[in-house]
Amino acid sequence: MTLEHPAERGGNKRGRFAHLAEKSSNFTSSPTFFGLCLLLVGIVIGAHVAKVPMAWMMLAGESMTAVTLLLLALLKNSERRAEHAIQRKLDAIAAALIELQEGEPGPAQRDLQEAIRVEDQT
């Protein structure tokens, strides 16, 4: 377990969780996943209408809770990575503007070019 920012774990190399989180995020934003969620909600509503045994209704409700918790973890991971990328870009823009005001191009120009593609690295 680590308390580091998700974008800073492992340096510039992306780990297995980062790849899994990205693929999961892509899937959860697809129409297929939306359809699966509608199906799950339909099953829960159907269970209530059909008055199935309480054990089955609890299973359906707990399934929805588990999906919600997984989506929350993915959302938070994605949010933190995007936040880190935006902050790096803002820092690079500010440094490049300072260099531009001083009239001397320097390392901030290079940092700005690297920050533009930061999403691919994190």
Side-chain angles (χ1 to χ4, degrees):
M1 183 169 104
T2 180
L3 298 178
E4 292 179 272
H5 191 285
E8 295 172 351
R9 294 179 196 146
N12 288 335
K13 182 181 170 191
R14 295 177 67 187
R16 286 183 282 159
F17 180 74
H19 286 291
L20 175 66
E22 181 180 354
K23 288 181 184 205
S24 298
S25 180
N26 291 340
F27 174 69
T28 56
S29 63
S30 71
T32 303
F33 183 75
F34 181 75
L36 290 173
C37 288
L38 280 178
L39 179 66
L40 185 58
V41 169
I43 289 171
V44 170
I45 291 171
H48 283 286
V49 170
K51 299 193 187 293
V52 296
M54 184 57 98
W56 286 101
M57 288 196 299
M58 287 182 63
L59 177 64
E62 289 172 356
S63 297
M64 289 180 66
T65 302
V67 168
T68 302
L69 287 174
L70 290 173
L71 288 174
L72 178 66
L74 289 172
L75 178 65
K76 189 60 178 173
N77 182 275
S78 177
E79 173 191 336
R80 294 288 306 233
R81 289 181 182 282
E83 171 188 303
H84 185 261
I86 289 169
Q87 189 59 51
R88 281 194 51 199
K89 287 178 185 180
L90 288 173
D91 291 346
I93 289 169
L97 286 172
I98 290 171
E99 285 181 358
L100 184 63
Q101 281 183 333
E102 294 173 352
E104 299 176 16
Q109 298 290 333
R110 185 181 63 249
D111 291 343
L112 180 57
Q113 290 173 345
E114 289 176 15
I116 289 171
R117 291 181 267 299
V118 75
E119 288 91 359
D120 296 334
Q121 298 172 1
T122 59

PDB file of all heavy atoms in Angstrom, residues 84-105:
ATOM      1  N   HIS A  84      -3.491  15.729 -11.788  1.00  0.00           N
ATOM      2  CA  HIS A  84      -2.032  15.820 -11.840  1.00  0.00           C
ATOM      3  C   HIS A  84      -1.566  16.307 -13.211  1.00  0.00           C
ATOM      4  O   HIS A  84      -0.676  17.159 -13.307  1.00  0.00           O
ATOM      5  CB  HIS A  84      -1.431  14.449 -11.524  1.00  0.00           C
ATOM      6  CG  HIS A  84       0.053  14.462 -11.427  1.00  0.00           C
ATOM      7  ND1 HIS A  84       0.854  14.063 -12.456  1.00  0.00           N
ATOM      8  CD2 HIS A  84       0.885  14.843 -10.426  1.00  0.00           C
ATOM      9  CE1 HIS A  84       2.112  14.181 -12.099  1.00  0.00           C
ATOM     10  NE2 HIS A  84       2.162  14.655 -10.869  1.00  0.00           N
ATOM     11  N   ALA A  85      -2.166  15.795 -14.280  1.00  0.00           N
ATOM     12  CA  ALA A  85      -1.787  16.212 -15.633  1.00  0.00           C
ATOM     13  C   ALA A  85      -2.088  17.687 -15.857  1.00  0.00           C
ATOM     14  O   ALA A  85      -1.266  18.420 -16.421  1.00  0.00           O
ATOM     15  CB  ALA A  85      -2.521  15.353 -16.660  1.00  0.00           C
ATOM     16  N   ILE A  86      -3.236  18.147 -15.406  1.00  0.00           N
ATOM     17  CA  ILE A  86      -3.602  19.554 -15.562  1.00  0.00           C
ATOM     18  C   ILE A  86      -2.650  20.448 -14.782  1.00  0.00           C
ATOM     19  O   ILE A  86      -2.208  21.487 -15.280  1.00  0.00           O
ATOM     20  CB  ILE A  86      -5.066  19.787 -15.134  1.00  0.00           C
ATOM     21  CG1 ILE A  86      -6.013  19.154 -16.153  1.00  0.00           C
ATOM     22  CG2 ILE A  86      -5.360  21.271 -14.973  1.00  0.00           C
ATOM     23  CD1 ILE A  86      -7.455  19.107 -15.694  1.00  0.00           C
ATOM     24  N   GLN A  87      -2.312  20.044 -13.567  1.00  0.00           N
ATOM     25  CA  GLN A  87      -1.407  20.856 -12.760  1.00  0.00           C
ATOM     26  C   GLN A  87      -0.030  20.943 -13.397  1.00  0.00           C
ATOM     27  O   GLN A  87       0.586  22.009 -13.416  1.00  0.00           O
ATOM     28  CB  GLN A  87      -1.304  20.297 -11.341  1.00  0.00           C
ATOM     29  CG  GLN A  87      -0.550  21.216 -10.398  1.00  0.00           C
ATOM     30  CD  GLN A  87      -1.209  22.583 -10.291  1.00  0.00           C
ATOM     31  OE1 GLN A  87      -2.397  22.685 -10.044  1.00  0.00           O
ATOM     32  NE2 GLN A  87      -0.434  23.632 -10.477  1.00  0.00           N
ATOM     33  N   ARG A  88       0.474  19.842 -13.939  1.00  0.00           N
ATOM     34  CA  ARG A  88       1.774  19.883 -14.621  1.00  0.00           C
ATOM     35  C   ARG A  88       1.731  20.804 -15.826  1.00  0.00           C
ATOM     36  O   ARG A  88       2.675  21.543 -16.095  1.00  0.00           O
ATOM     37  CB  ARG A  88       2.201  18.477 -15.054  1.00  0.00           C
ATOM     38  CG  ARG A  88       2.767  17.683 -13.900  1.00  0.00           C
ATOM     39  CD  ARG A  88       3.499  16.449 -14.297  1.00  0.00           C
ATOM     40  NE  ARG A  88       4.498  16.667 -15.321  1.00  0.00           N
ATOM     41  CZ  ARG A  88       4.998  15.701 -16.063  1.00  0.00           C
ATOM     42  NH1 ARG A  88       4.580  14.471 -15.907  1.00  0.00           N
ATOM     43  NH2 ARG A  88       5.910  15.959 -16.976  1.00  0.00           N
ATOM     44  N   LYS A  89       0.621  20.775 -16.565  1.00  0.00           N
ATOM     45  CA  LYS A  89       0.500  21.659 -17.727  1.00  0.00           C
ATOM     46  C   LYS A  89       0.459  23.123 -17.296  1.00  0.00           C
ATOM     47  O   LYS A  89       1.112  23.969 -17.901  1.00  0.00           O
ATOM     48  CB  LYS A  89      -0.758  21.316 -18.529  1.00  0.00           C
ATOM     49  CG  LYS A  89      -0.636  20.032 -19.307  1.00  0.00           C
ATOM     50  CD  LYS A  89      -1.922  19.736 -20.040  1.00  0.00           C
ATOM     51  CE  LYS A  89      -1.840  18.399 -20.728  1.00  0.00           C
ATOM     52  NZ  LYS A  89      -3.065  18.073 -21.450  1.00  0.00           N
ATOM     53  N   LEU A  90      -0.301  23.423 -16.252  1.00  0.00           N
ATOM     54  CA  LEU A  90      -0.371  24.806 -15.768  1.00  0.00           C
ATOM     55  C   LEU A  90       0.988  25.291 -15.282  1.00  0.00           C
ATOM     56  O   LEU A  90       1.377  26.437 -15.550  1.00  0.00           O
ATOM     57  CB  LEU A  90      -1.412  24.926 -14.655  1.00  0.00           C
ATOM     58  CG  LEU A  90      -2.870  24.831 -15.090  1.00  0.00           C
ATOM     59  CD1 LEU A  90      -3.777  24.794 -13.869  1.00  0.00           C
ATOM     60  CD2 LEU A  90      -3.232  25.982 -15.999  1.00  0.00           C
ATOM     61  N   ASP A  91       1.717  24.443 -14.578  1.00  0.00           N
ATOM     62  CA  ASP A  91       3.049  24.813 -14.122  1.00  0.00           C
ATOM     63  C   ASP A  91       3.979  25.083 -15.298  1.00  0.00           C
ATOM     64  O   ASP A  91       4.750  26.038 -15.295  1.00  0.00           O
ATOM     65  CB  ASP A  91       3.640  23.716 -13.231  1.00  0.00           C
ATOM     66  CG  ASP A  91       2.931  23.592 -11.891  1.00  0.00           C
ATOM     67  OD1 ASP A  91       2.170  24.514 -11.526  1.00  0.00           O
ATOM     68  OD2 ASP A  91       3.132  22.560 -11.225  1.00  0.00           O
ATOM     69  N   ALA A  92       3.910  24.232 -16.318  1.00  0.00           N
ATOM     70  CA  ALA A  92       4.757  24.406 -17.499  1.00  0.00           C
ATOM     71  C   ALA A  92       4.387  25.671 -18.261  1.00  0.00           C
ATOM     72  O   ALA A  92       5.262  26.404 -18.738  1.00  0.00           O
ATOM     73  CB  ALA A  92       4.651  23.183 -18.401  1.00  0.00           C
ATOM     74  N   ILE A  93       3.100  25.967 -18.373  1.00  0.00           N
ATOM     75  CA  ILE A  93       2.668  27.196 -19.056  1.00  0.00           C
ATOM     76  C   ILE A  93       3.148  28.423 -18.298  1.00  0.00           C
ATOM     77  O   ILE A  93       3.648  29.382 -18.905  1.00  0.00           O
ATOM     78  CB  ILE A  93       1.128  27.208 -19.218  1.00  0.00           C
ATOM     79  CG1 ILE A  93       0.707  26.179 -20.265  1.00  0.00           C
ATOM     80  CG2 ILE A  93       0.643  28.593 -19.614  1.00  0.00           C
ATOM     81  CD1 ILE A  93      -0.784  25.937 -20.313  1.00  0.00           C
ATOM     82  N   ALA A  94       3.020  28.403 -16.987  1.00  0.00           N
ATOM     83  CA  ALA A  94       3.461  29.539 -16.183  1.00  0.00           C
ATOM     84  C   ALA A  94       4.964  29.752 -16.331  1.00  0.00           C
ATOM     85  O   ALA A  94       5.424  30.887 -16.514  1.00  0.00           O
ATOM     86  CB  ALA A  94       3.092  29.320 -14.721  1.00  0.00           C
ATOM     87  N   ALA A  95       5.733  28.688 -16.283  1.00  0.00           N
ATOM     88  CA  ALA A  95       7.190  28.816 -16.428  1.00  0.00           C
ATOM     89  C   ALA A  95       7.561  29.315 -17.820  1.00  0.00           C
ATOM     90  O   ALA A  95       8.462  30.149 -17.972  1.00  0.00           O
ATOM     91  CB  ALA A  95       7.858  27.477 -16.138  1.00  0.00           C
ATOM     92  N   ALA A  96       6.873  28.817 -18.850  1.00  0.00           N
ATOM     93  CA  ALA A  96       7.151  29.263 -20.227  1.00  0.00           C
ATOM     94  C   ALA A  96       6.800  30.737 -20.402  1.00  0.00           C
ATOM     95  O   ALA A  96       7.507  31.472 -21.094  1.00  0.00           O
ATOM     96  CB  ALA A  96       6.387  28.398 -21.222  1.00  0.00           C
ATOM     97  N   LEU A  97       5.715  31.178 -19.782  1.00  0.00           N
ATOM     98  CA  LEU A  97       5.350  32.592 -19.855  1.00  0.00           C
ATOM     99  C   LEU A  97       6.388  33.474 -19.172  1.00  0.00           C
ATOM    100  O   LEU A  97       6.711  34.566 -19.656  1.00  0.00           O
ATOM    101  CB  LEU A  97       3.969  32.822 -19.241  1.00  0.00           C
ATOM    102  CG  LEU A  97       2.778  32.361 -20.074  1.00  0.00           C
ATOM    103  CD1 LEU A  97       1.494  32.472 -19.275  1.00  0.00           C
ATOM    104  CD2 LEU A  97       2.690  33.164 -21.363  1.00  0.00           C
ATOM    105  N   ILE A  98       6.903  33.013 -18.062  1.00  0.00           N
ATOM    106  CA  ILE A  98       7.949  33.777 -17.373  1.00  0.00           C
ATOM    107  C   ILE A  98       9.180  33.879 -18.261  1.00  0.00           C
ATOM    108  O   ILE A  98       9.778  34.949 -18.406  1.00  0.00           O
ATOM    109  CB  ILE A  98       8.282  33.137 -16.010  1.00  0.00           C
ATOM    110  CG1 ILE A  98       7.113  33.342 -15.040  1.00  0.00           C
ATOM    111  CG2 ILE A  98       9.574  33.709 -15.435  1.00  0.00           C
ATOM    112  CD1 ILE A  98       7.237  32.575 -13.748  1.00  0.00           C
ATOM    113  N   GLU A  99       9.583  32.765 -18.874  1.00  0.00           N
ATOM    114  CA  GLU A  99      10.728  32.794 -19.786  1.00  0.00           C
ATOM    115  C   GLU A  99      10.460  33.711 -20.965  1.00  0.00           C
ATOM    116  O   GLU A  99      11.358  34.423 -21.422  1.00  0.00           O
ATOM    117  CB  GLU A  99      11.059  31.393 -20.285  1.00  0.00           C
ATOM    118  CG  GLU A  99      11.755  30.537 -19.261  1.00  0.00           C
ATOM    119  CD  GLU A  99      12.096  29.164 -19.784  1.00  0.00           C
ATOM    120  OE1 GLU A  99      11.760  28.855 -20.952  1.00  0.00           O
ATOM    121  OE2 GLU A  99      12.705  28.390 -19.029  1.00  0.00           O
ATOM    122  N   LEU A 100       9.237  33.694 -21.464  1.00  0.00           N
ATOM    123  CA  LEU A 100       8.884  34.541 -22.607  1.00  0.00           C
ATOM    124  C   LEU A 100       8.974  36.014 -22.231  1.00  0.00           C
ATOM    125  O   LEU A 100       9.460  36.836 -23.021  1.00  0.00           O
ATOM    126  CB  LEU A 100       7.473  34.194 -23.098  1.00  0.00           C
ATOM    127  CG  LEU A 100       6.982  34.910 -24.339  1.00  0.00           C
ATOM    128  CD1 LEU A 100       7.867  34.544 -25.529  1.00  0.00           C
ATOM    129  CD2 LEU A 100       5.546  34.544 -24.624  1.00  0.00           C
ATOM    130  N   GLN A 101       8.558  36.363 -21.031  1.00  0.00           N
ATOM    131  CA  GLN A 101       8.647  37.747 -20.575  1.00  0.00           C
ATOM    132  C   GLN A 101      10.103  38.184 -20.422  1.00  0.00           C
ATOM    133  O   GLN A 101      10.443  39.336 -20.663  1.00  0.00           O
ATOM    134  CB  GLN A 101       7.924  37.927 -19.246  1.00  0.00           C
ATOM    135  CG  GLN A 101       6.434  38.036 -19.382  1.00  0.00           C
ATOM    136  CD  GLN A 101       5.766  38.289 -18.040  1.00  0.00           C
ATOM    137  OE1 GLN A 101       6.278  37.914 -16.997  1.00  0.00           O
ATOM    138  NE2 GLN A 101       4.608  38.922 -18.085  1.00  0.00           N
ATOM    139  N   GLU A 102      10.927  37.259 -20.001  1.00  0.00           N
ATOM    140  CA  GLU A 102      12.342  37.582 -19.837  1.00  0.00           C
ATOM    141  C   GLU A 102      13.074  37.578 -21.170  1.00  0.00           C
ATOM    142  O   GLU A 102      14.201  38.051 -21.255  1.00  0.00           O
ATOM    143  CB  GLU A 102      12.987  36.590 -18.868  1.00  0.00           C
ATOM    144  CG  GLU A 102      12.456  36.715 -17.455  1.00  0.00           C
ATOM    145  CD  GLU A 102      12.963  35.627 -16.527  1.00  0.00           C
ATOM    146  OE1 GLU A 102      13.619  34.682 -17.013  1.00  0.00           O
ATOM    147  OE2 GLU A 102      12.688  35.718 -15.332  1.00  0.00           O
ATOM    148  N   GLY A 103      12.463  37.024 -22.217  1.00  0.00           N
ATOM    149  CA  GLY A 103      13.044  37.024 -23.552  1.00  0.00           C
ATOM    150  C   GLY A 103      14.069  35.941 -23.799  1.00  0.00           C
ATOM    151  O   GLY A 103      14.751  35.947 -24.810  1.00  0.00           O
ATOM    152  N   GLU A 104      14.199  35.001 -22.905  1.00  0.00           N
ATOM    153  CA  GLU A 104      15.187  33.942 -23.069  1.00  0.00           C
ATOM    154  C   GLU A 104      14.498  32.581 -23.020  1.00  0.00           C
ATOM    155  O   GLU A 104      14.032  32.167 -21.973  1.00  0.00           O
ATOM    156  CB  GLU A 104      16.227  34.002 -21.953  1.00  0.00           C
ATOM    157  CG  GLU A 104      17.014  35.284 -21.912  1.00  0.00           C
ATOM    158  CD  GLU A 104      17.957  35.331 -20.723  1.00  0.00           C
ATOM    159  OE1 GLU A 104      18.209  34.273 -20.120  1.00  0.00           O
ATOM    160  OE2 GLU A 104      18.417  36.422 -20.394  1.00  0.00           O
ATOM    161  N   PRO A 105      14.455  31.860 -24.159  1.00  0.00           N
ATOM    162  CA  PRO A 105      13.883  30.506 -24.109  1.00  0.00           C
ATOM    163  C   PRO A 105      14.791  29.593 -23.284  1.00  0.00           C
ATOM    164  O   PRO A 105      16.012  29.721 -23.337  1.00  0.00           O
ATOM    165  CB  PRO A 105      13.820  30.068 -25.569  1.00  0.00           C
ATOM    166  CG  PRO A 105      14.777  30.957 -26.286  1.00  0.00           C
ATOM    167  CD  PRO A 105      14.897  32.220 -25.491  1.00  0.00           C
TER     168      PRO A 105
END
